[in-house]
Amino acid sequence: RARKKAAHLLYKEKETAVEEAALAAQSMLVQTWISYLTALEGEKILRVQLETGKRMLEIIELRLSQGTGSGLDLLQQKSRLAALERQLPGVNSEKLRAANSYSILMGQYPRGDILLQDKLPPLQPLNTLISPHTLLVQRPDLQSGYLALQAADYQVAAAIADRLPRLAFQIITSESGSSLSTIGNDSVFRFAANILAPVFDWGRLKLQAQRKQSEASELLAVLQHDMLEAVREVEDTLSREQGFFREKQLLEAELAIAEETVAKARLRYVNGKETFLPVLIALTELQTLQQENIYLRRNMLTNRAHLLRALGAKWSDHRENE
C-alpha cells in the first residue's frame, strides 16, 4: 500500500511539473506582450513629438521670414527633428521582434503584429498578503516538492516494512501422488523462509531504509529552502512595486511641470520675449520624460507579471488582482 501511494504521489508530481512549465510559458508570453505594447506606445509618442516639432519648425520659419527669427533657431530645431526620426527605426524593429516572438509562443506564423489591445493596461496599487500555506497550494514548483516529499515518506515506510518478517499463504489446488507425503514439510519450509528471509538480509534492508530516510530529509530541506525563496520573491516584487508606484507619482508631477514650462516658453518665444533656446530645452526635457514614463510603465507591468508568477496566479488584464 505504501508503494502504491508513493507511485500515485509521484504521478501527481509529474502533473505539477507540466503546470509549472505552462506557468513559465505564460510568463514569457506576457512579458513579450508587454514589450510589444511598450514599443508601440513609444512609436506613437515619437510620432506625436515629430508632429509637434514640425509645427514648431513652421513657426520658426515664419518668424525668420518676417525678420524676427534666427537661422540658428532653425538649425537647432531641424537637428532635434532629425534626432527624433533616428529613433523610429529602432523602436519599429523592437516592436516587430516582440510581435514575432509572441506569435511563435502562440504557435503561429510570425506576422509582425499582435491582434490585442493597442495600449498598456493601467495598474492600480496592489497590497498582497500571502501565507506560506497559500504559496504551497498555488505554486506548482512548491506543490511538486511537497508531493515528492510525501512520496519519499511512503517509500521510507515501505523500506521499513521490508525489514519485518512476512507471512505468505498459498492455496495448493493439486499435487502429484508421489509428493503427497511432503506437502506439510514443504509448507513449513516456505513458512520459515518467509519469516527468516528479512533476518538473513537484515543489513541490506537496514541500509536501504536509512537511504530512503536520508532522501526524505534532503527533500524536506529542499522544500524548506524553496519556500523561503518563494516568500522572498513575493516580498521583493512587492517592494519593487511600491517603489515603482512612488516613482510614477513623482514622474507625473514632473511631467505636469515640464508641460507647463514648454507652454510658457513657447508663448514667450512667439511673442518675441525670449529666444528659441529655452523652448528647445523645455521640449527636450518634456519628450525625455514622456519616453521615461513609457518605460516605467513597462517595468511596472513586467514586475506585476513576476509577482503573479511568484504567487502562482494566472495573468489577467481584466481582473488584475487574481
Side-chain angles (χ1 to χ4, degrees):
R1 285 197 301 268
R3 287 193 179 91
K4 182 179 179 180
K5 187 65 177 179
H8 176 68
L9 290 168
L10 290 174
Y11 176 77
K12 292 180 66 177
E13 179 196 5
K14 300 302 181 183
E15 289 183 334
T16 59
V18 174
E19 294 178 6
E20 183 180 359
L23 188 62
Q26 175 183 267
S27 180
M28 291 176 58
L29 190 66
V30 168
Q31 293 182 53
T32 304
W33 172 67
I34 292 172
S35 297
Y36 172 81
L37 292 181
T38 301
L40 186 63
E41 288 207 6
E43 181 187 16
K44 291 179 180 179
I45 287 292
L46 280 175
R47 296 195 181 281
V48 171
Q49 292 174 352
L50 279 169
E51 189 64 29
T52 302
K54 289 177 181 179
R55 289 199 301 267
M56 200 66 209
L57 182 62
E58 293 174 357
I59 294 174
I60 295 172
E61 291 174 342
L62 178 61
R63 285 176 54 84
L64 187 61
S65 65
Q66 294 174 350
T68 57
S70 168
L72 180 60
D73 294 343
L74 183 65
L75 289 175
Q76 287 176 332
Q77 182 60 11
K78 286 184 177 180
S79 176
R80 180 59 185 165
L81 286 174
L84 290 173
E85 289 177 348
R86 181 171 55 85
Q87 297 179 42
L88 273 175
V91 173
N92 288 330
S93 176
E94 182 181 352
K95 181 182 68 173
L96 181 61
R97 291 197 308 271
N100 290 339
S101 298
Y102 185 91
S103 298
I104 293 299
L105 289 171
M106 291 293 291
Q108 301 172 352
Y109 188 82
R111 56 174 182 259
D113 64 343
I114 298 177
L115 299 179
L116 293 172
Q117 63 187 81
D118 58 353
K119 62 180 180 179
L120 293 170
L123 283 179
Q124 301 298 326
L126 177 65
N127 297 318
T128 300
L129 298 176
I130 188 166
S131 65
H133 177 266
T134 305
L135 275 179
L136 184 61
V137 171
Q138 293 183 353
R139 285 188 49 152
D141 57 335
L142 297 182
Q143 290 180 18
S144 177
Y146 182 61
L147 290 171
L149 177 60
Q150 286 183 306
D153 188 47
Y154 278 104
Q155 289 174 344
V156 170
I160 293 175
D162 286 337
R163 298 176 60 190
L164 302 177
R166 285 175 291 178
L167 298 179
F169 296 95
Q170 295 180 356
I171 298 177
I172 302 174
T173 57
S174 63
E175 289 286 348
S176 63
S178 60
S179 62
L180 185 60
S181 61
T182 62
I183 290 179
N185 295 335
D186 184 59
S187 299
V188 171
F189 173 76
R190 277 183 287 181
F191 176 82
N194 286 330
I195 290 292
L196 296 178
V199 177
F200 294 146
D201 214 8
W202 184 266
R204 184 185 65 82
L205 294 176
K206 180 180 180 181
L207 291 176
Q208 183 176 353
Q210 291 176 345
R211 181 173 63 82
K212 291 296 183 180
Q213 289 174 340
S214 299
E215 292 176 355
S217 298
E218 182 181 358
L219 288 173
L220 176 60
V222 171
L223 181 60
Q224 290 174 337
H225 177 268
D226 290 345
M227 285 291 298
L228 292 174
E229 283 293 316
V231 173
R232 182 192 62 79
E233 288 177 13
V234 174
E235 292 295 332
D236 287 350
T237 49
L238 283 175
S239 176
R240 283 194 296 268
E241 176 135 337
Q242 292 175 357
F244 282 141
F245 271 98
R246 178 56 181 162
E247 184 180 352
K248 183 175 181 293
Q249 292 174 351
L250 296 173
L251 182 57
E252 289 176 348
E254 194 174 355
L255 273 168
I257 295 173
E259 290 173 355
E260 186 178 357
T261 302
V262 169
K264 289 185 177 181
R266 183 181 298 168
L267 183 61
R268 290 178 61 85
Y269 173 74
V270 172
N271 293 331
K273 297 180 180 180
E274 192 61 79
T275 64
F276 181 67
L277 183 59
V279 181
L280 182 62
I281 294 174
L283 274 173
T284 302
E285 179 68 19
L286 174 61
Q287 292 167 355
T288 301
L289 291 174
Q290 288 173 337
Q291 294 178 3
E292 289 181 2
N293 186 44
I294 293 174
Y295 290 108
L296 176 59
R297 291 171 63 194
R298 178 198 63 185
N299 294 337
M300 292 174 67
L301 283 167
T302 301
N303 186 70
R304 180 65 63 85
H306 289 323
L307 176 60
L308 290 174
R309 182 176 180 181
L311 295 174
K314 295 182 179 180
W315 176 271
S316 172
D317 57 345
H318 298 296
R319 294 173 294 176
E320 60 190 28
N321 288 332
E322 294 187 2

